[in-house]
Every structure is written in C-alpha cells, then in structure tokens.
Amino acid sequence: MNVLFIGESWHIHMIHSKGYDSFTSSKYEEGADYLLSCLRGENITIDYMPAHIVQTRFPQTVEELEIYDAIVISDIGSNTFLLQNKTFYKMDIIPNALSLIKKYVSKGGGLLMIGGYLSFTGIEAKANYKNTLLADILPVEMLDHDDRVEIPEGCCPVITDEQHIITKDMQQWPPLLGYNKLKARENSKTLVKINDDPLLVLGKYDNGKVCCFASDCAPHWGSPQFMQWEHYTSFWYNILQSIKK
C-alpha cells in the first residue's frame, strides 16, 4: 500500500526572558513520527509531506495523486492547501489542491482526516474545512465555530460496532484528552463514539472511501496510554486497509 501523509508538523518560536535580558529561539517538530514508523513496520510505503512543504510541492494534477492508495490529512488547516506560495506571493493561477483531492476520491481513492487543532473546523475555526470542497466528501458535518472538546480528565471511547474489521477485538480503549466535535452524516457508519459524539466515521463519495477520526494520532489529545495501546498500530493499519482504493 502506498500512502501520502500530509501535516503533523510545526515550527515553534519562543521568547526566553531572564531578568532584564531576553532572546528568541525556534525549533521544528513533527508529530507523526511514531505513527509513521508503526505503519512502515507493517510494510506500508509512506510519502510524508510536512505542512510547510505543501505550499511549494503539493501535486498539481490528479494523476500525481493517483499513485497513492490513500491520502491522510492530519492537523493542517485548509489555508495551507489554498494559499500556496505561487498564488499568495505571485498571484499565479494554479489548481485548487482540495479540488484535486476531491477528484482523486471521486475516482476511487481513499481519504482519512485525523483530528487536531487544525483539522475539521479547528481552533478559532481556523482549519475551516467546513467552507471548502472537502466538506462535500467527508462523512461528517462540521461546526461553524471552534469545534474542540478538551477533556483534561480523559475519556475512554466506546465501540459501536464490535464486528467491523477496523474495531474487532478492540473493546477496551485507553482515554483520549480531546477531540473535534462532529456530526455523522446520513448513510455514514459510526464505529466508535466518545462522549456520545462520533469519533470514528466511515463513508463513501462516488467511487472512493472516506474516513474521519475526530481525535489526534499523537499528543496532546492522543494520551500516553493511547500511544502505548497494544492495538495502536493495528487500528491505523485497519483503517487504511479499509479505505484504500
């Protein structure tokens, strides 16, 4: 299986104040290292595209996307796809990246969106996928406003379908520390809930398959218990197997 994994990276710019004096420093981090290593250990080939690379190197044709069996979007807002450098700085007319993804799914590709502060509607509504073309193909309805639900005390998800290939033998879940609040669409299938809200939802769009996981694949919503869960690898592997073209 060949997967394009997009997002889960960030730059941090810090101010250090020590009495009268201060200085700045910055660092770059990637949040999906553990997940990607787990999937690669299952013989899944992954092309990883960090968030800042999307603005300069995202494919410009559907044919370039069709080499992948599935695309994963995780914790990266819609602006990064829509305001690529050529358009934002040079006013060039280029293909709409989200339109390419929509066409890719329509032709039989698989798409997984993983939750986070810049997934679905996101923090301060900045992810803003509700107002994009991806809202047409995801198996969930998104909120108009900040959709984060923070659960510092932790909450264990509940399986709603114990026989599905993705969730079979996964009755006992570790706690998660938050999620994006969503509503499952008609004709979709909710396999897992959290706080009685959909956590894992499957659906179809034309010839393709789509899936939404409303929490994070990594900290902080992905608790240490979730990251160390015995089913962590098989869970994500099963999802990708279920949506691949």
Side-chain angles (χ1 to χ4, degrees), residues 1-66:
M1 190 192 316
N2 194 18
V3 174
L4 175 61
F5 193 105
I6 308 169
E8 280 296 336
S9 70
W10 53 89
H11 289 88
I12 298 174
H13 191 63
M14 296 171 284
I15 300 174
H16 305 252
S17 295
K18 299 184 177 181
Y20 181 87
D21 298 298
S22 65
F23 62 93
T24 62
S25 67
S26 61
K27 64 177 178 176
Y28 169 73
E29 292 185 341
E30 295 178 356
D33 285 350
Y34 180 64
L35 172 57
L36 298 186
S37 66
C38 290
L39 294 176
R40 286 171 175 143
E42 298 296 318
N43 294 318
I44 294 179
T45 300
I46 298 176
D47 285 346
Y48 176 49
M49 184 174 286
H52 63 285
I53 299 299
V54 172
Q55 294 166 287
T56 57
R57 300 183 194 173
F58 192 81
Q60 299 294 291
T61 66
V62 175
E63 288 73 24
E64 292 174 85
L65 294 177
E66 287 181 330

Side-chain angles (χ1 to χ4, degrees), residues 18-175:
K18 299 184 177 181
Y20 181 87
D21 298 298
S22 65
F23 62 93
T24 62
S25 67
S26 61
K27 64 177 178 176
Y28 169 73
E29 292 185 341
E30 295 178 356
D33 285 350
Y34 180 64
L35 172 57
L36 298 186
S37 66
C38 290
L39 294 176
R40 286 171 175 143
E42 298 296 318
N43 294 318
I44 294 179
T45 300
I46 298 176
D47 285 346
Y48 176 49
M49 184 174 286
H52 63 285
I53 299 299
V54 172
Q55 294 166 287
T56 57
R57 300 183 194 173
F58 192 81
Q60 299 294 291
T61 66
V62 175
E63 288 73 24
E64 292 174 85
L65 294 177
E66 287 181 330
I67 67 171
Y68 299 105
D69 296 299
I71 295 174
V72 180
I73 298 174
S74 184
D75 213 355
I76 173 174
S78 61
N79 277 332
T80 305
F81 291 98
L82 298 172
L83 298 173
Q84 296 182 32
N85 287 6
K86 287 182 179 180
T87 298
F88 190 71
Y89 295 109
K90 299 180 180 179
M91 284 67 71
D92 288 349
I93 295 175
I94 64 172
N96 183 324
L98 298 183
S99 177
L100 295 178
I101 294 174
K102 183 177 180 179
K103 291 176 183 176
Y104 160 84
V105 175
S106 179
K107 296 176 71 173
L111 175 65
L112 165 64
M113 181 174 285
I114 300 174
Y117 271 34
L118 282 172
S119 295
F120 302 108
T121 303
I123 186 171
E124 299 174 356
K126 287 181 176 178
N128 197 34
Y129 284 102
K130 180 179 176 63
N131 295 308
T132 72
L133 294 170
L134 290 197
D136 298 334
I137 70 175
L138 293 177
V140 296
E141 295 179 8
M142 294 170 274
L143 303 185
D144 291 321
H145 50 80
D146 191 320
D147 61 359
R148 294 169 303 135
V149 178
E150 302 288 352
I151 317 174
E153 71 276 22
C155 182
C156 293
V158 176
I159 299 290
T160 59
D161 187 341
E162 297 181 359
Q163 300 305 314
H164 196 279
I165 185 64
I166 295 177
T167 51
K168 190 175 181 180
D169 301 323
M170 295 184 185
Q171 288 81 4
Q172 299 299 318
W173 272 62

